[in-house]
Amino acid sequence: MKRILPVIVLSQFFCTSLWFAGNAVMGDIAKQLQLEPSYLAYLTSAVQLGFITGTLVFAILSIADRFSPARVFFICALIAAFINGLACLPGTDATTILILRYSTGFFLAGIYPVGMKIASDHYPQGLGKALGFLVGALVLGTSFPHLLKSLMSALPWRYVILSTSVLAALGGCAMVLLVPDGAGRKQGSALNPAAFVKSFGNKQFRAAAFGYFGHMWELYAFWAFVPVILSAYNTRYTEANLNVPLLSFLIIGVGALACAGSGTLSQYKGVKNVAVSALAISCICCLVSPLFLFAGSAWMLIAFLLVWSIAVIADSPLFSTLVAQNADQQLKGTALTIVNCIGFAITIVSIQLITALRTVENSRYVYMMLAIGPVLGLVALAGKRTK
């Protein structure tokens, strides 16, 4: 039915707005609780660590293959929305917020990879295009709290958190009410805790997965540090007065168009070809970043960050497509989940590494380290005949 993909995309957008809800109001939280700047990295990593734990549990138990994915999505969306909203309770301290962000990330494991599983069940043909729209929804959801923060700048930060919880609950309800199980869904076999490693025996699957891992080394570190980069520019050039929340939304959010575009382009140029091209461009952006981060022109900085944002995410739906296409079809949901698990574990390393090494003196050069992931990903994909 024509409504299926729009509903999946909208539900994914609403639910993944939970992801960076804490990051968007980090400045207000830090000011209220008198926290150090390094708390941003802990806040981001808490969600990632929760997601990793969740995806590992979901993969070992083969949740997305053994149960109706739409119902799994719905239940996880409601629980994540509730936990996210608990941060608004009076007296919440820094440690409690980290625990809540971790718990929210845990149940996001039943939203993002499960949403891809649902899309792959409904659109086995043209999956790259479908996942392009789906990952685009993730990008918009990730950036949306920054827009809410910009629009609600005069209101307490709790309004941003509550708004994302309401959206997530609506997204979960839409999925379970309007999206039936897809015709391509194959009922998983009985519980087998070791089943999630089965797909890695396939060389084509392994190449796609390692390409994705290289992409993830760069992606979330870039997203997490976009506000930091813009704030650093404001500090260096006080007359610039950049609107950090609004620009963060626009820079991250433009990636949604990149996902939709790359998914469509992959139908004509091939999934792997487009993915490799995007990964190579984002690698170049990492390497040339020192030329632009403190450029005298704010417009040059913004233009560069927009190009980087487009390249850094354009390959994401394509790697997920390659993973889904080359996985054991009875374990497709589990394969997507475990690849997400490993990929997001890698994001913690890159975010924490940049945080530990970044200083005022080297802030122009430190983001060159993000090129490590794309380089290794390109090496893994070289000569591999993924579909």
Side-chain angles (χ1 to χ4, degrees):
M1 290 182 286
K2 292 183 178 180
R3 73 160 190 261
I4 296 296
L5 184 58
V7 173
I8 297 173
V9 168
L10 190 63
S11 296
Q12 189 85 296
F13 164 57
F14 281 176
C15 292
T16 54
S17 67
L18 299 173
W19 216 303
F20 269 25
N23 295 59
V25 296
M26 177 56 223
D28 294 328
I29 295 175
K31 185 176 180 180
Q32 179 178 317
L33 301 179
Q34 299 180 334
L35 302 173
E36 295 295 326
S38 59
Y39 189 76
L40 169 64
Y42 296 133
L43 194 72
T44 304
S45 295
V47 182
Q48 308 297 78
L49 185 58
F51 183 82
I52 292 161
T53 308
T55 49
L56 185 59
V57 171
F58 277 55
I60 291 174
L61 299 179
S62 300
I63 297 293
D65 294 307
R66 295 171 59 225
F67 303 101
S68 166
R71 292 181 183 178
V72 172
F73 188 104
F74 167 68
I75 293 170
C76 289
L78 291 190
I79 296 174
F82 175 74
I83 293 172
N84 182 66
L86 291 178
C88 299
L89 293 176
T92 305
D93 59 20
T95 301
T96 302
I97 290 175
L98 286 177
I99 293 171
L100 292 175
R101 296 307 294 158
Y102 170 87
S103 302
T104 301
F106 182 94
F107 287 100
L108 280 168
I111 293 172
Y112 176 46
V114 174
M116 289 194 291
K117 156 70 172 170
I118 295 169
S120 67
D121 287 343
H122 281 279
Y123 300 96
Q125 303 300 322
L127 182 58
K129 182 178 180 180
L131 291 188
F133 285 105
L134 196 64
V135 178
L138 165 70
V139 177
L140 279 182
T142 301
S143 62
F144 191 63
H146 291 291
L147 178 61
L148 289 177
K149 171 58 181 172
S150 180
L151 296 175
M152 299 180 178
S153 57
L155 299 174
W157 59 266
R158 290 177 173 83
Y159 281 79
V160 174
I161 300 294
L162 288 174
S163 296
T164 56
S165 286
V166 171
L167 288 175
L170 290 174
C173 291
M175 185 70 83
V176 76
L177 293 175
L178 300 176
V179 181
D181 289 335
R185 182 188 176 219
K186 294 185 179 180
Q187 184 69 39
S189 57
L191 176 62
N192 179 0
F196 71 92
V197 301
K198 181 179 179 181
S199 292
F200 281 94
N202 182 327
K203 291 183 179 179
Q204 294 178 344
F205 177 91
R206 231 175 20 247
F210 277 78
Y212 177 78
F213 299 154
H215 148 79
M216 288 298 284
W217 170 269
E218 179 190 9
L219 176 62
Y220 272 82
F222 172 77
W223 279 351
F225 283 97
V226 163
V228 176
I229 291 170
L230 294 171
S231 296
Y233 191 89
N234 274 343
T235 300
R236 187 179 182 92
Y237 301 103
T238 54
E239 71 280 3
N241 196 28
L242 300 177
N243 185 331
V244 174
L246 181 59
L247 284 173
S248 296
F249 164 72
L250 293 174
I251 290 168
I252 297 173
V254 74
L257 298 177
C259 290
S262 67
T264 302
L265 184 62
S266 69
Q267 293 187 302
Y268 304 97
K269 299 296 184 179
V271 175
K272 180 185 174 182
N273 291 337
V274 179
V276 168
S277 297
L279 191 61
I281 293 171
S282 66
C283 180
I284 293 170
C285 287
C286 296
L287 295 174
V288 303
S289 59
L291 301 177
F292 297 93
L293 296 190
F294 290 124
S297 168
W299 288 110
M300 186 177 295
L301 169 68
I302 294 168
F304 171 70
L305 291 177
L306 286 170
V307 171
W308 195 355
S309 181
I310 290 170
V312 79
I313 189 61
D315 50 3
S316 191
L318 306 181
F319 284 127
S320 295
T321 299
L322 292 171
V323 167
Q325 289 175 340
N326 290 287
D328 183 316
Q329 293 306 292
Q330 286 191 323
L331 298 171
K332 184 167 50 180
T334 298
L336 285 165
T337 303
I338 194 60
V339 168
N340 270 257
C341 175
I342 297 171
F344 278 85
I346 290 169
T347 69
I348 291 182
V349 179
S350 60
I351 290 171
Q352 293 294 335
L353 182 62
I354 296 295
T355 300
L357 297 179
R358 185 182 180 276
T359 64
V360 174
E361 291 75 22
N362 71 13
S363 58
R364 179 195 294 263
Y365 303 100
V366 71
Y367 303 106
M368 293 177 68
M369 295 187 64
L370 295 179
I372 295 171
V375 168
L376 294 178
L378 290 169
V379 170
L381 288 164
K384 299 295 182 182
R385 296 182 180 179
T386 45
K387 296 178 184 178

